[in-house]
Amino acid sequence: MSEAHETETKTEITPRPTFAPAAMALGIMMLLWGITTMWIMSLGGFGVMAWALWMWINEIRQEWLEETASE
């Protein structure tokens, strides 16, 4: 079987759009801003960063579970 035929038969799944990367960037910026201003801003940034990371990993896990269930 040629490579061209193999790529035609595989369907490529595009990932769903998510706001987790943007939330992660916001959390990192808040964390760094808090280092120069107030510790409470760093604490909030750490919380946003942890929440975004949890959401991002959870979405990846859900997509992986859907892929393995459909096979």
Side-chain angles (χ1 to χ4, degrees):
M1 199 179 259
S2 69
E3 282 186 45
H5 185 66
E6 285 181 23
T7 56
E8 289 175 7
T9 57
K10 291 182 184 178
T11 58
E12 190 167 324
I13 300 170
T14 58
R16 293 184 297 233
T18 178
F19 59 89
M24 175 69 80
L26 175 67
I28 291 170
M29 288 306 300
M30 286 175 65
L31 182 71
L32 295 175
W33 186 284
I35 290 172
T36 61
T37 58
M38 280 187 76
W39 64 270
I40 195 78
M41 181 67 101
S42 288
L43 189 63
F46 182 75
V48 170
M49 197 172 68
W51 173 75
L53 182 64
W54 182 80
M55 288 293 293
W56 204 349
I57 290 173
N58 194 33
E59 288 176 8
I60 291 170
R61 185 182 63 84
Q62 289 291 337
E63 287 182 16
W64 182 77
L65 288 173
E66 288 173 6
E67 277 183 25
T68 57
S70 66
E71 291 178 358

